[in-house]
Amino acid sequence: MILEILSNSIAKEKRKSLYTIYFKTIKLIKYIIFGIIAIVCELLIRKGLILIELHEIQASLISLPISIILAFYCNVRFNFKIKKNKLLISALIFTFISSLSMFIQFQIKNKFLIYNNYEENRILMSGLCFIFFYFLHVKFSFKDEIQIGVAVYANGIDDINKIYDRIKNFPDFIHIDLVDKTFNPNAKEIDPNQIKLAKKLWRNKEIHMHIMSKKPDKWIEEYIDIVDKIFFHFESDIIIEDVYKKYKLKSKKLGLAVSCNTNVSNYSNILEKFKNILLLSIKNPGYSGQIFEIGSYEIIKKINNNNKKNNYTLCVDGGVNKINVNSLIADEIVSGSYVLKNQDPIYAIFNLKFS
């Protein structure tokens, strides 16, 4: 609602400044609100348990875990997008950090008792430790938050400078599509300057490359040391095992891309070899502006249900918009046309991140 008002009523440059403030503070503001709700509930439960003549220590041992569970639930439901298969580890880390926070708070309270009232001390100690432990949660508890990337072309189709001016550093990463004539006969020549420029402009962001080529060998060789991740297609005219062996020492960067047109059973046995998997969820690879293929939902489910899923991250690319983004169970999500063809592309990014 707030973003919609900003998008509709404020001049472009002022919007960017306000978007920056919103982007940098919205998670903290939500975290504060959920923290207050959790503490209030904890104190009310504790007081209720004491009224029914439960010992104060027992009341605290019951109410404190409830507070942690409530705070975690609110944050993963309304603040940080975490994939279902990462929720358990996220919850364990969140519980550990929250327990550590409470332990330190009680140590401070016992050494520097300010109020005789438990509730007043609890609120004060939480406030004093709050910011430090918030950043610990962001760095560790919610480190597996779903990332949103914006796609640009390495073929000279896009004006990279203009795109940067429109989206700035709001995406979590930049996704470069490299399409050659073996994949799309109408593709323009690859412009190496596009990739260099993207690296320069988004120097604090990861750069991922998606190679759409029947013969990706030369592109992998040329760019694997330049970008942070590089995907080549299962549907290429190469031997997958040979590529994997050649770049095994750089396996953290190497990724396998698969088309939604390809049967999952054809590649399910090799998914575990790669650290990164990309599903191209459009019908015609190499062409932008297409709609999301409905059958991709079932493919995403199968890839996520692979018994080696913890070995790799899943990126979904193609036809992503604010309507389907919340239905995509992936570690990374890429959008191109929805963002770049929007009159307010930063607002479009926020729709993907916070809807």
Side-chain angles (χ1 to χ4, degrees), residues 41-296:
C41 288
E42 171 204 328
L43 296 178
L44 289 174
I45 291 169
R46 182 179 182 276
K47 192 170 185 179
L49 292 173
I50 292 172
L51 286 175
I52 61 172
E53 299 185 350
L54 204 65
H55 191 277
E56 287 189 6
I57 294 177
Q58 291 176 312
S60 295
L61 290 174
I62 293 171
S63 60
L64 287 171
I66 293 174
S67 172
I68 293 174
I69 293 169
L70 179 60
F72 178 75
Y73 171 79
C74 289
N75 274 288
V76 296
R77 178 69 179 81
F78 303 107
N79 204 7
F80 297 91
K81 288 183 178 181
I82 307 292
K83 269 186 68 180
K84 288 182 180 178
N85 69 327
K86 300 287 181 69
L87 282 174
L88 178 58
I89 187 67
S90 179
L92 291 174
I93 296 171
F94 185 91
T95 301
F96 173 78
I97 292 174
S98 297
S99 300
L100 177 63
S101 172
M102 289 177 180
F103 173 77
I104 291 174
Q105 289 174 41
F106 282 115
Q107 293 300 311
I108 295 172
K109 184 200 75 170
N110 292 335
K111 192 168 185 179
F112 307 102
L113 186 63
I114 300 173
Y115 300 110
N116 291 321
N117 182 280
Y118 175 92
E119 286 79 8
E120 291 177 339
N121 273 303
R122 177 80 176 94
I123 293 169
L124 177 63
M125 293 300 105
S126 295
L128 290 175
C129 297
F130 185 83
I131 293 296
F132 174 73
F133 284 97
Y134 165 74
F135 286 110
L136 279 185
H137 281 306
V138 170
K139 186 170 179 60
F140 298 105
S141 304
F142 305 124
K143 65 182 175 62
D144 291 319
E145 185 181 18
I146 296 169
Q147 302 291 292
I148 303 294
V150 172
V152 299
Y153 276 92
N155 296 65
I157 300 169
D158 294 327
D159 186 323
I160 303 292
N161 279 303
K162 284 185 179 178
I163 289 175
Y164 176 77
D165 185 56
R166 296 184 73 214
I167 66 174
K168 296 297 185 182
N169 284 302
F170 288 100
D172 295 313
F173 63 95
I174 298 300
H175 178 96
I176 298 178
D177 284 322
L178 186 154
V179 188
D180 69 15
K181 292 183 183 297
T182 65
F183 223 74
N184 177 355
N186 299 318
K188 290 186 176 183
E189 293 298 325
I190 307 303
D191 183 356
N193 292 322
Q194 295 281 80
I195 296 143
K196 292 176 184 177
L197 183 57
K199 285 282 291 181
K200 179 181 178 182
L201 292 173
W202 288 286
R203 58 184 177 276
N204 296 320
K205 300 290 181 181
E206 281 197 357
I207 304 294
H208 301 178
M209 177 175 282
H210 175 196
I211 299 172
M212 284 174 271
S213 171
K214 290 291 185 180
K215 302 181 184 299
D217 315 54
K218 68 172 183 176
W219 303 122
I220 298 173
E221 183 74 29
E222 187 169 348
Y223 292 113
I224 194 166
D225 291 324
I226 296 173
V227 299
D228 298 286
K229 288 184 183 181
I230 191 162
F231 296 93
F232 72 98
H233 266 266
F234 173 79
E235 297 81 10
S236 305
D237 296 334
I238 55 173
I239 299 172
I240 305 295
E241 286 285 345
D242 289 349
V243 177
Y244 173 76
K245 288 177 183 177
K246 183 176 181 179
Y247 297 102
K248 193 171 183 179
L249 294 177
K250 299 173 183 177
S251 61
K252 287 184 178 179
K253 287 189 171 189
L254 195 64
L256 183 69
V258 293
S259 168
C260 64
N261 301 320
T262 303
N263 194 305
V264 179
S265 61
N266 292 350
Y267 54 79
S268 59
N269 63 324
I270 61 170
L271 289 176
E272 63 187 78
K273 291 184 178 295
F274 293 89
K275 299 295 183 184
N276 310 288
I277 303 296
L278 181 147
L279 173 66
L280 190 58
S281 50
I282 52 176
K283 190 174 182 179
N284 298 307
Y287 297 85
S288 64
Q290 299 176 65
I291 62 171
F292 182 88
E293 283 295 305
I294 299 299
S296 298

